[in-house]
């Protein structure tokens, strides 16, 4: 088995970015989900669930000090990482209340114009990282603006099996994984408890509950009229707690991940 693809998503619910190599740091892949669009009035985070156009938003790191925003029909906009003295904005991500730096009016106006609603852009300094649910993590194990965990793994053969059931090819990016593993049996990841990729150990802590986002085409932001692949997943990957596809992971260390690295099941 090997790591066949590596992705990060610098803007929460924005377009994914495939990497040949990535640094596995204390919050997950370096630069992953450190930026987030929020409702200007309530501070509530925004996602493709309600705003499919977010799939077309690309935020890409230029260096450690700035990112560039692009989207169809919009001019490019460079946004600097906020200074420590930047104004703070109260925001909510699920049940977590945070106060994090606001990225300024230019970024807010740009996002508001593209999304058609009043929006602010916020940034997560490492010092404000979110404690992972202690049911699954130790004190001090943290994540960025994810839906709960720093890594999501999907087996390529699991997606291949799903595509065969749906009857058409589906993009892996619909499921927004960090790590894709090739060479395992379909859904083998469901039984893993600990794995090693290269020199880094990971705990497999929780299946990933799926929402409607996989029904959105990541290249067009259009919803599938037949609600696939969620409709098929509901038929064979559902239990009393939800619909599951992929596994959430927590890294036990730091280091470099490279596409092609061997993957070993430790437990």
């Amino acid at each position: 088995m090997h790591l066949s693809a590596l992705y990060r998503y610098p803007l929460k619910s924005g377009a994914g970015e495939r990497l040949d190599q990535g640094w596995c740091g204390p919050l997950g892949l370096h630069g992953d989900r450190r930026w987030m669009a929020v409702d200007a009035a309530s501070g509530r985070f925004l996602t493709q669930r309600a705003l499919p156009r977010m799939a077309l938003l690309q935020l890409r790191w230029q260096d450690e000090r700035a990112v560039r925003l692009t989207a169809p029909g919009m001019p490019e906009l460079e946004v600097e990482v906020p200074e420590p003295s930047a104004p703070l904005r109260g925001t909510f991500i699920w049940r977590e209340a945070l106060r994090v730096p606001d990225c300024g009016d230019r970024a807010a106006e740009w996002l508001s114009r593209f999304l058609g609603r009043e929006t602010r852009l916020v940034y997560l300094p490492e010092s404000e990282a979110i404690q992972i649910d202690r049911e699954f993590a130790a004190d001090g194990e943290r994540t960025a603006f994810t839906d709960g965990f720093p890594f999501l793994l999907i087996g390529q053969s699991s997606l291949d099996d799903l595509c065969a059931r749906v009857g058409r090819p589906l993009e892996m990016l619909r499921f927004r994984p960090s790590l894709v593993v090739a060479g395992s049996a379909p859904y083998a990841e469901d039984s893993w408890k600990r794995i090693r990729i290269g020199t880094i150990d990971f705990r497999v802590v929780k299946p990933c509950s799926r929402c409607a986002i996989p029904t959105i085409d990541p290249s067009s932001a259009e919803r599938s009229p037949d609600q696939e692949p969620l409709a098929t997943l509901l038929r064979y990957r559902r239990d009393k707690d939800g619909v599951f596809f992929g596994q959430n992971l927590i890294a036990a260390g730091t280091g470099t991940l490279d596409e092609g690295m061997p993957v070993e099941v430790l437990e």
Side-chain angles (χ1 to χ4, degrees):
M1 296 188 299
H2 66 278
L3 184 65
S4 59
L6 186 64
Y7 296 99
R8 71 175 175 184
Y9 309 85
L11 175 69
K12 182 175 180 65
S13 224
E17 175 183 20
R18 187 161 180 172
L19 304 173
D20 296 326
Q21 181 182 84
W23 173 255
C24 173
L27 307 185
L29 283 175
H30 181 65
D32 186 46
R33 280 166 277 213
R34 298 291 292 273
W35 306 78
M36 185 167 72
V38 304
D39 180 81
S42 69
R44 182 70 59 180
F45 74 105
L46 303 177
T47 79
Q48 293 180 36
R49 297 173 185 89
L51 297 169
R53 277 171 64 81
M54 290 189 70
L56 306 178
L57 274 171
Q58 289 201 15
L59 184 149
R60 297 292 180 257
W61 288 94
Q62 301 304 294
D63 52 35
E64 293 298 310
R65 296 167 296 178
V67 293
R68 180 165 295 164
L69 272 167
T70 60
M74 297 291 292
E76 292 186 356
L77 179 70
E78 186 168 290
V79 181
E80 294 184 351
V81 172
E83 297 290 340
S85 59
L88 301 181
R89 178 167 293 272
T91 185
F92 295 88
I93 176 168
W94 300 114
R95 290 173 292 182
E96 193 78 27
L98 304 167
R99 287 186 62 79
V100 291
D102 184 281
C103 298
D105 290 343
R106 288 177 64 245
E109 291 164 3
W110 193 99
L111 282 171
S112 299
R113 178 179 162 195
F114 181 71
L115 295 176
R117 60 184 292 169
E118 291 300 309
T119 304
R120 304 295 300 190
L121 181 66
V122 297
Y123 173 75
L124 186 75
E126 188 170 326
S127 61
E128 300 301 316
I130 301 165
Q131 168 69 43
I132 301 169
D133 187 340
R134 288 180 175 84
E135 181 180 351
F136 306 100
D139 284 348
E141 290 186 317
R142 302 180 300 162
T143 187
F145 287 136
T146 65
D147 277 352
F149 297 90
F151 294 95
L152 171 63
L153 180 147
I154 295 176
Q156 180 61 52
S157 61
S158 303
L159 178 63
D160 295 342
D161 178 80
L162 174 59
C163 291
R165 293 170 186 261
V166 172
R168 63 174 183 263
L170 297 162
E171 307 88 346
M172 182 63 82
L173 276 173
R174 287 177 181 257
F175 300 93
R176 304 179 70 77
S178 317
L179 312 170
V180 180
V181 172
S184 59
Y187 314 107
E189 60 270 25
D190 292 351
S191 65
W192 298 345
K193 295 181 179 178
R194 289 191 308 122
I195 65 170
R196 179 174 295 150
I197 304 177
T199 61
I200 305 172
D201 290 1
F202 295 83
R203 303 195 319 275
V204 184
V205 294
K206 184 181 181 295
C208 181
S209 177
R210 309 311 313 206
C211 63
I213 286 180
T215 67
I216 300 169
D217 185 326
S219 62
S220 68
E222 295 178 357
R223 294 188 188 272
S224 302
D226 56 6
Q227 290 299 298
E228 293 291 7
L230 193 58
T232 294
L233 287 170
L234 281 165
R235 293 198 291 269
Y236 79 111
R237 297 288 296 176
R238 184 179 187 178
D239 66 19
K240 62 182 178 62
D241 297 318
V243 179
F244 299 94
F245 189 75
Q247 294 288 329
N248 291 297
L249 277 61
I250 299 173
T254 61
T256 300
L257 292 172
D258 291 287
E259 187 175 310
M261 275 185 164
V263 177
E264 179 185 0
V265 177
L266 302 177
E267 182 180 353

